[in-house]
Amino acid sequence: MGKKLVMAQKRGETRALCLGVAMVVCAVIAYYILGTTMLPLYQKSVWTQKSTCHLIETSIREQEELEGKKVPQYPCLWVNVSAVGRWAVLYHTEDTRDQNQQCSYIPGSLENYQVARADVEKVRATFHEKQIFYCFSTTRENETTVLYQRLYGPRTLLFSLFWPTFLLTGGLLIIAMVKINQSLSILAAQK
């Protein structure tokens, strides 16, 4: 009976060690992927200065080009604001500016024109209600664009690092508990 119990303990300890090591390896891989994808985008982001924007005007434009490619006609919102003491164009995110520089906001669904138009109207109404809101600008002197929302800000970086950190901590705790259990069982066997 004692030999079966010892064998069962060893199998359980081996499985727990494998789980802990697998969790640590997954965390290291996740850190590597985040370090090569998210971290450079965060470091390259020049939109670090939080400013107050005052709405000047909004208009809805019809567009037929997205990321340099011809697409069916879709509505987009164009927003002019006053930020950091000068006139500027507001873009929803960094990606919006890269997709089409003629649009401040591009609706998520472009398949149905009526749904896209309703989405743009809703965002336009929200801007007209607020009039004054926070935006992100760059410290460059001649920059005439600001962002409404940063994709690659500190909060996003912290949220993306949470799960790998949780995996690493959990894996190390499992490994530590197994090793402590092994050392305590050796001490108990010696007495």
Side-chain angles (χ1 to χ4, degrees):
M1 177 78 176
K3 189 174 181 182
K4 286 184 180 178
L5 181 63
V6 170
M7 292 302 291
Q9 275 184 330
K10 284 190 176 184
R11 273 187 273 154
E13 288 174 351
T14 304
R15 289 178 183 161
L17 274 176
C18 287
L19 174 66
V21 169
M23 288 173 69
V24 169
V25 168
C26 287
V28 169
I29 291 171
Y31 278 129
Y32 174 76
I33 290 171
L34 288 173
T36 57
T37 56
M38 284 289 293
L39 196 57
L41 293 172
Y42 172 74
Q43 290 174 332
K44 288 179 190 173
S45 180
V46 295
W47 312 98
T48 55
Q49 186 177 355
K50 195 168 189 176
S51 308
T52 303
C53 286
H54 301 272
L55 184 68
I56 295 175
E57 69 171 319
T58 62
S59 63
I60 296 177
R61 299 180 175 182
E62 304 299 325
Q63 294 291 319
E64 295 181 359
E65 192 173 304
L66 186 63
E67 295 179 10
K69 301 172 191 161
K70 289 286 185 185
V71 294
Q73 189 173 10
Y74 67 93
C76 78
L77 184 65
W78 177 257
V79 180
N80 291 329
V81 295
S82 171
V84 197
R86 61 182 182 263
W87 174 89
V89 177
L90 178 76
Y91 289 102
H92 186 237
T93 63
E94 294 97 328
D95 289 348
T96 307
R97 183 178 180 210
D98 295 337
Q99 288 176 342
N100 188 342
Q101 291 192 356
Q102 302 299 315
C103 293
S104 296
Y105 174 77
I106 300 171
S109 174
L110 299 178
E111 290 83 32
N112 186 341
Y113 181 83
Q114 297 302 329
V115 172
R117 179 75 182 204
D119 186 22
V120 169
E121 291 284 350
K122 182 179 170 187
V123 172
R124 182 182 189 190
T126 303
F127 277 122
H128 281 285
E129 284 175 18
K130 289 186 179 180
Q131 293 286 323
I132 299 172
F133 48 89
Y134 288 111
C135 58
F136 295 95
S137 60
T138 181
T139 55
R140 296 179 189 160
E141 289 287 324
N142 56 356
E143 188 67 44
T144 60
T145 59
V146 292
L147 295 181
Y148 182 69
Q149 178 181 4
R150 286 179 67 186
L151 283 180
Y152 313 112
R155 180 180 289 164
T156 306
L157 191 64
L158 287 175
F159 283 147
S160 49
L161 290 175
F162 172 75
W163 285 111
T165 305
F166 184 72
L167 267 176
L168 181 67
T169 306
L172 291 175
L173 282 174
I174 289 173
I175 292 170
M177 285 190 298
V178 168
K179 290 299 181 184
I180 289 170
N181 187 30
Q182 286 175 344
S183 65
L184 288 176
S185 64
I186 290 171
L187 284 175
Q190 288 175 351
K191 288 185 179 182

